[in-house]
Amino acid sequence: PADERTLTLRHAVPADADELDRLAQLDSRCAPRGVVLVAEVGGELWAAISLDDMHAVADPFRPTGELVALLVARARQLRRTENGRLQGLPRVWPETGYDRAALS
């Protein structure tokens, strides 16, 4: 069994959209969209960043400052190495800045 405090960085998938929206609401910000990198701690989403525009959100009720710094560093690294190959990665909604609330 995995340690409850295990940190996982991974690409978000469309199924993460609701959790990203919840995280963004906690942070009083818009949810990151496009190709998104998330930080999970113990299986819970604590922070996320869009590789498209570097927009980040984090749970303000958790110690996420270092997680956001780690996500920013990893996102910069991925952007440098991918050189335009982000289109093959999973996207959370089709475009950066897409607002799900506008559909309601």
Side-chain angles (χ1 to χ4, degrees):
D3 179 6
E4 286 183 331
R5 303 305 272 175
T6 300
L7 170 63
T8 303
L9 298 183
R10 65 172 177 83
H11 289 285
V13 294
D16 293 316
D18 288 341
E19 194 63 17
L20 288 168
D21 286 339
R22 180 197 66 79
L23 190 62
Q25 287 176 1
L26 288 173
D27 201 13
S28 300
R29 304 190 67 182
C30 295
R33 297 294 186 221
V35 178
V36 177
L37 190 63
V38 299
E40 288 181 335
V41 177
E44 294 181 18
L45 199 66
W46 281 24
I49 189 168
S50 170
L51 296 182
D52 293 345
D53 63 6
M54 301 297 284
H55 171 70
V57 295
D59 186 334
F61 303 107
R62 309 247 188 202
T64 55
E66 291 179 352
L67 280 181
V68 172
L70 180 62
L71 284 172
V72 167
R74 183 64 178 141
R76 286 182 179 152
Q77 182 183 42
L78 288 171
R79 286 170 59 125
R80 276 195 308 271
T81 60
E82 293 298 324
N83 283 334
R85 293 180 295 191
L86 295 177
Q87 64 269 19
L89 296 172
R91 299 183 78 74
V92 179
W93 294 107
E95 299 176 20
T96 301
Y98 184 79
D99 185 5
R100 255 179 80 174
L103 292 177
S104 301

